[in-house]
Amino acid sequence: MFARRVMVVGTGYVGLTTGACLASLGHEVVCADIDAAKVERLRRGVVDIVEPDLAELVSEQTSAGRLSFVVGAGAALGSFEDGRPAEVLFLCVPTPMGAGGVADLRAVESVIEEVGAELAAGTVVVNKSTVPVGTAARTAELLERTDVAVVSNPEFLREGSAVKDFLGPDRIVVGSDNQDAAERVAALYARLGAPTVLTDAASAELMKYAANCFLAMKLSYVNAMAELCERVGADISDVTEGIGYDRRIGQAFLSPGPGWGGSCLPKDTHALLQVADSADFEFRLLRATIDTNTRQRQRIVDKVRLAVTGKRTGSLSRVRLALLGLTFKAGTDDLRDSPALAIAALLRQAGAELVGFDPAFVEGKDGAAPPTEIDGVPLAADAVSAAQGAEAVLVLTEWPMFRTLDWSVIASAVKRPIVIDTRNIVDPATLRRAGLTAVGLGRRGDGDIAE
């Protein structure tokens, strides 16, 4: 494999993981970011992101001389050994959801405006960020360079396992109307030995949305099935185990929960709806997926009302609730579109008094003190402190530590012995032995199946 000079613009989850992992594959990588303080921390080996193995990989590759960090995309162009130009430029900048659900591409356009004219002839510009169909073509138009190719190379990384996903991918997707450029980008990953899909840019761009929206549909489906299980007296754990053995379905993404969130699924589902609308296609299935997810959050609030007051419309005014987990999933400190925070907002709107605990925020970053509150939810130092005097404990994020809490201590701390496990991760028998009432999603025998 030939080592390449790779420039990565953006050092978020995607950019930093991409840069560190490509360096580990033998490439010379320069990562650029507009945040000077962040760049300085990265140079010192301080990684702000909670991501297993990432900090170690960054430190290792920096020490090996294959990974470096600079402020600004323009500065990165001349940062390679002997002043040689970058051969491949990865765009890993934010593409947040803008007005109406369409992806905001201003960061992508800003980078192209900054460095487009300075790129060496033959450079390949790679859109790694999740972008709408047609962005590769738009990028080429902005470049106005016939000697610079544009490639779509979507990422399929999960927060909490990004390094593992990058170095052990299910597939590599590369799309471009320039076959030579596509093959050059695919060659960067040659050592991984993963199946590679070479296609046109539009298909590659749509592939990322298609994958994420399918997963969102699967999650909304299992949440709807959990509600149906409650109504008919079935058990969602048995149902999902049974259907999961079907190889056409699989076991992944079959766990009910408080709704899906994070930095990708909400943004990508709305973005694909925009793509469909612009193509005059009514994507009813996807719209129902989003509506089901929105409804799930209110359903959790209704379960809390029923468990605490005995009525689905009961008042939660001045009811103290302990929230265990605030991040959108375990293994990360990412709060973007967290269903836990969305539910917290609904509970607060209903008059509940909240206190939260999340292991991602026990310690501060880079020597700073840990936060004392998140989105208006005061933080406790531990789960027991959060539960003190609570009329119900809600498990909102699937942190493994919640399975092994000393629930008997929790039982002695709460005002009322109710645990509402929105992730079904705590053994109900363990809770009952501790003297707690266990309320889950779609589980047979839970206390709130009927009002």
Side-chain angles (χ1 to χ4, degrees):
M1 185 201 78
F2 293 103
R4 297 292 187 186
R5 297 183 300 280
V6 178
M7 175 177 163
V8 177
V9 181
T11 59
Y13 279 97
V14 175
L16 189 57
T17 302
T18 297
C21 289
L22 285 175
S24 76
L25 296 178
H27 304 294
E28 183 184 354
V29 182
V30 176
C31 291
D33 200 284
I34 59 174
D35 186 336
K38 184 179 184 181
V39 168
E40 179 56 33
R41 290 195 298 273
L42 288 169
R43 287 172 175 169
R44 292 189 281 111
V46 178
V47 174
D48 298 330
I49 301 168
V50 175
E51 189 64 47
D53 303 323
L54 183 56
E56 294 81 1
L57 195 62
V58 168
S59 178
E60 175 186 297
Q61 296 307 313
T62 302
S63 297
R66 288 188 291 267
L67 179 64
S68 58
F69 301 93
V70 298
V71 179
L77 289 173
S79 297
F80 292 92
E81 186 180 352
D82 299 329
R84 293 177 298 168
E87 298 171 276
V88 183
L89 164 63
F90 279 88
L91 297 174
C92 301
V93 294
T95 55
M97 184 166 60
V102 67
D104 185 343
L105 299 178
R106 283 179 294 181
V108 173
E109 295 169 352
S110 176
V111 174
I112 295 302
E113 181 179 349
E114 180 181 357
V115 303
E118 306 301 321
L119 295 174
T123 304
V124 178
V125 174
V126 182
N127 276 325
K128 194 73 170 172
S129 305
T130 302
V131 293
V133 176
T135 301
R138 173 61 178 158
T139 302
E141 289 177 3
L142 291 173
L143 280 168
E144 296 182 331
R145 297 278 301 271
T146 58
D147 58 345
V148 173
V150 178
V151 169
S152 176
N153 174 219
E155 52 85 15
F156 297 95
L157 307 178
R158 297 167 297 170
E159 291 185 32
S161 59
V163 172
K164 179 181 177 182
D165 291 343
F166 192 104
L167 297 177
D170 295 323
R171 75 290 201 193
I172 302 293
V173 175
V174 183
S176 179
D177 298 330
N178 184 318
Q179 183 72 15
D180 177 67
E183 291 177 354
R184 286 173 61 191
V185 172
L188 295 173
Y189 304 94
R191 286 182 56 186
L192 300 178
T196 301
V197 179
L198 292 177
T199 183
D200 60 274
S203 296
E205 290 165 339
L206 188 57
M207 227 175 281
K208 175 58 186 291
Y209 285 120
N212 276 356
C213 292
F214 183 86
L215 296 177
M217 282 188 255
K218 198 172 180 181
L219 289 170
S220 285
Y221 176 80
V222 77
N223 279 336
M225 285 300 304
E227 182 175 1
L228 181 59
C229 284
E230 292 175 9
R231 292 173 182 264
V232 302
D235 193 299
I236 190 62
S237 298
D238 294 341
V239 171
T240 54
E241 180 184 9
I243 66 175
Y245 284 121
D246 189 324
R247 287 174 292 182
R248 298 168 299 176
I249 297 174
Q251 299 281 356
F253 284 76
L254 284 182
S255 298
W260 38 265
S263 61
C264 293
L265 296 190
K267 173 173 68 75
D268 292 353
T269 49
H270 283 92
L272 188 56
L273 273 184
Q274 289 293 319
V275 172
D277 289 345
S278 66
D280 196 26
F281 172 63
E282 178 56 43
F283 206 149
R284 292 185 176 88
L285 182 58
L286 183 55
R287 198 174 298 278
T289 295
I290 297 171
D291 292 343
T292 298
N293 192 56
T294 301
R295 180 178 179 274
Q296 183 70 2
R297 297 168 182 182
Q298 184 59 54
R299 189 169 100 82
I300 299 301
V301 174
D302 292 343
K303 289 177 76 71
V304 175
R305 291 180 188 273
L306 179 57
V308 172
T309 72
K311 297 182 179 180
R312 293 191 187 277
T313 57
S315 173
L316 293 177
S317 178
R318 302 184 70 178
V319 171
R320 182 179 174 90
L321 301 172
L323 311 183
L324 300 189
L326 297 174
T327 57
F328 89 94
K329 63 179 286 189
T332 178
D333 62 348
D334 198 342
L335 297 164
R336 288 175 290 180
D337 272 303
S338 169
L341 292 180
I343 290 167
L346 292 173
L347 291 169
R348 192 165 52 246
Q349 183 180 339
E353 298 176 359
L354 309 178
V355 61
F357 167 71
D358 194 298
F361 303 102
V362 171
E363 299 179 359
K365 292 182 178 180
D366 199 19
T372 57
E373 70 170 45
I374 291 175
D375 275 21
V377 178
L379 293 183
D382 52 57
V384 176
S385 299
Q388 194 70 45
E391 297 194 46
V393 176
L394 281 69
V395 179
L396 292 172
T397 308
E398 72 283 18
W399 287 100
M401 71 171 296
F402 295 155
R403 291 191 181 96
T404 57
L405 286 175
D406 189 336
W407 286 98
S408 61
V409 176
I410 299 288
S412 66
V414 296
K415 182 178 180 180
R416 299 183 64 183
I418 300 171
V419 175
I420 302 165
D421 183 2
T422 71
R423 297 283 186 168
N424 286 359
I425 64 166
V426 185
D427 181 6
T430 298
L431 296 176
R432 287 192 288 267
R433 282 194 299 270
L436 296 161
T437 297
V439 178
L441 299 187
R443 294 193 305 214
R444 185 175 53 249
D446 276 342
D448 71 342
I449 289 178
E451 187 172 335

